Amino acid sequence: MNSATASKSTSRLLAADNLQNLLDSVDAFLFDCDGVIWKGDELIDGVAQTLDFLRSKGKKLVFVTNNSTKSRRQYAQKFRSVGISVTEDEMFSSSFAAAMFLKVNNFPKDKKVYVIGEEGILEELKLAGFTGLGGPEDGKKTAELKPNHLFEHDKSVGAVVVGLDRYINYYKLQYGTLCIRENPGCLFIATNRDAVGHMTNLQEWPGAGCMVAAICGTTEKEPIVVGKPSTFLMDFLIEKFHISCSRMCMVGDRLDTDILFGQNAGCKTLLVLSGVTNLTTLQDDSNKIIPDYYTSKVSDIFEFMGP
Amino acid sequence: MNSATASKSTSRLLAADNLQNLLDSVDAFLFDCDGVIWKGDELIDGVAQTLDFLRSKGKKLVFVTNNSTKSRRQYAQKFRSVGISVTEDEMFSSSFAAAMFLKVNNFPKDKKVYVIGEEGILEELKLAGFTGLGGPEDGKKTAELKPNHLFEHDKSVGAVVVGLDRYINYYKLQYGTLCIRENPGCLFIATNRDAVGHMTNLQEWPGAGCMVAAICGTTEKEPIVVGKPSTFLMDFLIEKFHISCSRMCMVGDRLDTDILFGQNAGCKTLLVLSGVTNLTTLQDDSNKIIPDYYTSKVSDIFEFMGP
């Protein structure tokens, strides 16, 4: 049985022998961040040495995250603060993806973008030359439900971007809903639809999937998703690094975003069990998303192959 | 062609002749409130005289609303404040339905109920002998996302009730999500799933469907719905008034809640165009929910038949 056949039906536990095959067959590793590189603000043990090891083997590293609260610049800062040096160009966040989606689709510069989300989305919109509204500055606003009082919204909003928003409120929900329901042709863009995420190291919290679902509930419309598992982001990676997807390996802790994202794009896939997925979930009969390889954590690569 | 056959394929405009037939064939009128009796805080013209007229003809009146922000007592007060006298027993709100659902299903009195919603749900829970948590008192709370800080929730919560919440925040979303995901057997009850509603007279606002979808998004579970178009409420009406559903007429402004609710229960149905549905929507080919009758507003009944 060749490995291509085996990989479609079963996932292989990473070990010294098959790891060498994996390293020989890929030129780039794409890493999810939360649950893979860190949990909350805490770096997962052995990550720094493992990244250094992969760089020393000439591998390109790319950090892909569905967390839209930060911009690429803010993510690069976070990496540096935990002792890992990356460039902004190595970072691909769903906040950046939202701005790039508008750019490649020639979103008119005279139209505005309403944001249900945090600073990262607004910063990426600005860097791409778009005018963002909402976000953090609407976090303290309250909706006045008084007779004969009309809640006004900007008629020049042509897109609503919805991501994780820890300051979600009724004002923002009404604002975004009115734009999508009443402004002709207004786009509804979701950074991603993760149900929950490790916003802190001890537990999971509602993810962007919560806010996106809320807007689906009021508008009765479905969004365009730009983060994982959509392959919109992958098109950028291909163009940027000129590496074919079959020579990339997607490393992540989620089957339905990371691993599916890698598979949709034709990459090799490695599941790490240091985040939201455990071995029981992976091996359950109901799970149909089977990564090529799995291992407990990223640093196993260094353990098996390092000096 | 008899009327039963006709009513399945086309809706008839209410007029003096068919109205007499309708009055002869029903003993009770069930009214939706928002968009039928009032818009926001404003009574729709001619409603008071029409209700008086129907009472004078010996018809039983019941006011059914999916709006969960008020209790039956608070609704009766609102009716009196606009000059319409009703008893609490004539009121059936989705807040009351949530409490009654727990009661008829013998929800244990030592378990608690977490509320994403407003005062009406908490009051109905209390009147039914249950302990409610959350609701308005969690409206000002903020979730602390700090390393090594655990967001604690009450392990004795056995049900989460989600309704319209104009003070929705990340704290409540995390609290409700943790109860449903982590407390074994915890029920997820939705008062209703209306996308939007006329919370004020000039425009629509996000309805309970927004908050319910948000919790579906984080928990990846579907709720038990107790308000319209679920017929849970109808079982109460039948037991209380001993009138068969075929001798009831449901009057409402929404096809997918009011009219469907009436049809599911085997009632006659009358759509009024004074709320969210207009004639174009009713007559659109894509609409599959056809009421027996339609008219512009409730007071047409009085206009056609009154003195």
Side-chain angles (χ1 to χ4, degrees):
Chain A
M1 188 160 63
N2 68 38
S3 67
T5 309
S7 70
K8 278 176 191 153
S9 55
T10 56
S11 188
R12 285 178 295 172
L13 180 64
L14 202 64
D17 59 339
N18 58 31
L19 176 56
Q20 186 60 58
N21 292 342
L22 176 62
L23 289 174
D24 292 343
S25 67
V26 303
D27 300 317
F29 282 85
L30 317 184
F31 290 97
D32 176 50
C33 298
D34 290 320
V36 177
I37 304 295
W38 54 57
K39 275 196 174 189
D41 289 317
E42 205 169 293
L43 192 68
I44 293 174
D45 272 354
V47 164
Q49 296 94 314
T50 307
L51 299 181
D52 286 345
F53 167 73
L54 290 171
R55 285 187 206 273
S56 77
K57 297 291 175 191
K59 305 303 174 192
K60 179 76 77 181
L61 307 184
V62 185
F63 302 92
V64 185
T65 175
N66 264 359
N67 188 327
S68 63
T69 61
K70 291 186 172 65
S71 63
R72 292 200 300 167
R73 181 188 62 78
Q74 291 170 313
Y75 264 112
Q77 272 180 344
K78 176 164 176 174
F79 270 86
R80 285 191 287 273
S81 76
V82 295
I84 298 174
S85 178
V86 299
T87 65
E88 283 178 36
D89 274 356
E90 289 177 316
M91 288 299 323
F92 289 85
S93 61
S94 66
S95 52
F96 177 66
M100 288 304 105
F101 180 86
L102 293 172
K103 196 162 188 176
V104 302
N105 286 284
N106 299 312
F107 184 77
K109 293 282 161 107
D110 60 335
K111 290 274 189 180
K112 294 175 190 149
V113 183
Y114 186 74
V115 175
I116 295 178
E118 303 193 14
E119 191 52 40
I121 299 171
L122 284 165
E123 184 169 321
E124 293 294 356
L125 287 172
K126 193 172 177 189
L127 287 169
F130 299 115
T131 305
L133 297 177
E137 79 170 47
D138 284 358
K140 301 256 181 211
K141 291 185 184 167
T142 53
E144 286 195 87
L145 286 101
K146 294 184 303 194
N148 302 316
H149 170 77
L150 190 72
F151 182 104
E152 303 266 11
H153 73 284
D154 191 325
K155 304 295 189 294
S156 70
V157 168
V160 175
V161 174
V162 185
L164 170 63
D165 192 331
R166 290 166 293 186
Y167 308 94
I168 187 70
N169 61 22
Y170 199 63
Y171 180 96
K172 295 183 195 179
L173 291 166
Q174 170 70 333
Y175 205 108
T177 298
L178 287 176
C179 293
I180 294 170
R181 288 173 73 106
E182 299 188 3
N183 290 5
C186 183
L187 299 171
F188 170 20
I189 297 170
T191 59
N192 65 296
R193 300 194 74 163
D194 293 3
V196 291
H198 262 285
M199 316 309 168
T200 58
N201 55 333
L202 296 184
Q203 66 195 146
E204 292 178 329
W205 296 76
C210 177
M211 294 80 208
V212 171
I215 295 295
C216 292
T218 58
T219 61
E220 299 171 283
K221 290 193 175 155
E222 286 297 304
I224 300 157
V225 180
V226 295
K228 296 173 288 185
S230 152
T231 56
F232 170 74
L233 213 50
M234 191 56 77
D235 300 338
F236 264 82
L237 300 184
I238 295 166
E239 194 175 331
K240 182 140 199 89
F241 295 112
H242 307 292
I243 297 172
S244 83
C245 285
S246 66
R247 302 270 315 160
M248 297 181 188
C249 178
M250 177 69 209
V251 186
D253 69 323
R254 289 173 185 270
L255 292 165
D256 59 348
T257 52
D258 303 322
I259 302 304
L260 189 59
F261 171 67
Q263 289 178 342
N264 284 348
C267 302
K268 292 190 173 52
T269 54
L270 167 62
L271 178 76
V272 291
L273 303 174
S274 51
V276 300
T277 308
N278 60 28
L279 192 60
T280 309
T281 304
L282 170 65
Q283 296 181 335
D284 193 277
D285 281 346
S286 69
N287 172 42
K288 304 296 178 217
I289 304 170
I290 311 296
D292 295 316
Y293 301 95
Y294 72 95
T295 196
S296 64
K297 55 193 184 304
V298 160
S299 64
D300 294 341
I301 295 173
F302 181 71
E303 295 289 326
F304 295 147
M305 300 295 288
Chain B
M1 187 160 62
N2 68 38
S3 67
T5 308
S7 69
K8 279 175 192 157
S9 54
T10 56
S11 187
R12 284 179 294 174
L13 180 64
L14 202 65
D17 59 340
N18 59 29
L19 176 57
Q20 186 58 59
N21 292 342
L22 176 62
L23 288 174
D24 291 344
S25 65
V26 302
D27 301 315
F29 281 86
L30 317 186
F31 290 97
D32 175 50
C33 298
D34 291 320
V36 177
I37 303 294
W38 54 57
K39 275 195 176 191
D41 289 319
E42 205 169 292
L43 193 67
I44 293 173
D45 271 356
V47 164
Q49 297 93 314
T50 308
L51 298 181
D52 286 346
F53 167 74
L54 290 171
R55 284 185 205 273
S56 77
K57 297 291 176 189
K59 305 303 175 192
K60 179 77 74 181
L61 307 185
V62 185
F63 303 92
V64 185
T65 175
N66 264 0
N67 188 328
S68 63
T69 61
K70 291 186 172 66
S71 63
R72 293 200 299 167
R73 180 188 64 77
Q74 292 170 312
Y75 264 111
Q77 271 180 344
K78 176 165 177 174
F79 271 85
R80 283 191 289 271
S81 76
V82 294
I84 299 174
S85 177
V86 300
T87 66
E88 285 178 37
D89 275 355
E90 288 177 317
M91 288 300 322
F92 290 84
S93 61
S94 65
S95 53
F96 177 66
M100 287 304 106
F101 179 87
L102 293 172
K103 195 162 188 174
V104 301
N105 285 283
N106 300 311
F107 184 76
K109 293 282 161 104
D110 60 335
K111 290 273 190 183
K112 294 174 190 151
V113 183
Y114 187 74
V115 175
I116 295 178
E118 302 194 14
E119 191 52 41
I121 299 171
L122 283 165
E123 184 169 320
E124 292 295 355
L125 287 172
K126 193 173 177 188
L127 287 169
F130 298 114
T131 305
L133 296 178
E137 78 170 45
D138 284 356
K140 300 255 181 212
K141 291 185 185 168
T142 52
E144 287 195 87
L145 286 100
K146 294 184 304 193
N148 302 316
H149 171 78
L150 191 74
F151 183 103
E152 303 266 11
H153 72 285
D154 191 324
K155 304 295 189 295
S156 70
V157 169
V160 175
V161 174
V162 184
L164 171 62
D165 191 331
R166 291 165 293 185
Y167 308 94
I168 188 70
N169 61 21
Y170 198 63
Y171 180 98
K172 295 183 195 179
L173 291 167
Q174 169 72 331
Y175 205 108
T177 298
L178 287 176
C179 292
I180 294 170
R181 288 173 73 106
E182 299 189 2
N183 291 3
C186 183
L187 300 171
F188 171 19
I189 297 170
T191 59
N192 65 298
R193 301 195 72 163
D194 292 3
V196 292
H198 263 285
M199 314 311 165
T200 58
N201 55 333
L202 296 186
Q203 67 195 144
E204 292 178 330
W205 297 77
C210 177
M211 293 80 208
V212 171
I215 295 296
C216 293
T218 59
T219 61
E220 298 170 286
K221 290 194 174 153
E222 286 297 304
I224 299 157
V225 180
V226 295
K228 295 173 287 183
S230 152
T231 56
F232 170 75
L233 214 51
M234 192 56 78
D235 300 337
F236 264 82
L237 300 183
I238 295 166
E239 193 172 332
K240 181 139 200 88
F241 294 112
H242 307 291
I243 297 172
S244 82
C245 285
S246 66
R247 304 268 318 158
M248 297 181 188
C249 180
M250 177 70 210
V251 185
D253 69 324
R254 289 173 186 269
L255 293 164
D256 60 347
T257 53
D258 303 324
I259 301 305
L260 190 59
F261 171 69
Q263 289 177 342
N264 284 348
C267 301
K268 292 188 174 53
T269 54
L270 168 60
L271 178 76
V272 290
L273 303 174
S274 51
V276 301
T277 308
N278 60 27
L279 192 59
T280 308
T281 304
L282 171 65
Q283 295 180 336
D284 192 277
D285 282 345
S286 69
N287 173 42
K288 303 296 177 215
I289 304 169
I290 311 296
D292 295 316
Y293 301 95
Y294 71 95
T295 195
S296 65
K297 55 192 184 301
V298 162
S299 63
D300 293 341
I301 295 172
F302 181 72
E303 295 288 325
F304 295 146
M305 300 296 287

